[in-house]
Amino acid sequence: MAIASLLIACGGSSGSATNATSTTAGTATLAWDAVTDPSLQGYRVYYGTFAGTYLQSPGQGLPVGNGTTTYKVTGLNTGATYYFAVTAYDLQGDESAYSNEVVKVIP
């Protein structure tokens, strides 16, 4: 399974692969490149307040259906820094490695 690549978190910015924009407090909108593997079932979004450490266990990320390459994470704490990554998974449930990680301070 190919990795969901080039994740972008919308809201502040810290370089080309970590460009971030959000107009609503407590949210972060993520976007990533589509995986073209024919067995793609969907994506999973992971996030947490420490780099490389996510609130969701592996395989338990927030589900995003096939054909969708954006996701709005809500309910985030204002003023907190969050780290995000996305995976792709196939029909057998095999999951890719994490995408690049992006960071966003929630306004």
Side-chain angles (χ1 to χ4, degrees), residues 8 11-13 15 25-26 33 39 56 59 63 65 70 83 85-86 94 106-107:
I8 298 172
S13 122
D33 294 339
S39 67
Q56 303 77 21
T70 61
Y83 298 82
V86 174
D94 297 325
I106 305 304

Side-chain angles (χ1 to χ4, degrees), residues 25 40 46 53 61 84 105:
L40 176 70
Y46 294 86
T53 304
F84 301 89
V105 177

Side-chain angles (χ1 to χ4, degrees), residues 37-80:
D37 188 315
S39 67
L40 176 70
Q41 181 69 27
Y43 303 95
R44 292 185 180 119
V45 173
Y46 294 86
Y47 68 92
T49 55
F50 295 97
T53 304
Y54 306 113
L55 299 173
Q56 303 77 21
S57 300
Q60 301 299 312
L62 305 173
V64 180
N66 186 357
T68 303
T69 57
T70 61
Y71 188 82
K72 182 185 268 188
V73 181
T74 61
L76 303 174
N77 294 323
T78 301

Side-chain angles (χ1 to χ4, degrees), residues 9-13 20-29 72-82 84 103-107:
C10 301
S13 122
T21 90
S22 178
T23 58
T24 307
T27 69
T29 302
K72 182 185 268 188
V73 181
T74 61
L76 303 174
N77 294 323
T78 301
T81 300
Y82 286 89
F84 301 89
V103 60
K104 177 172 178 20
V105 177
I106 305 304

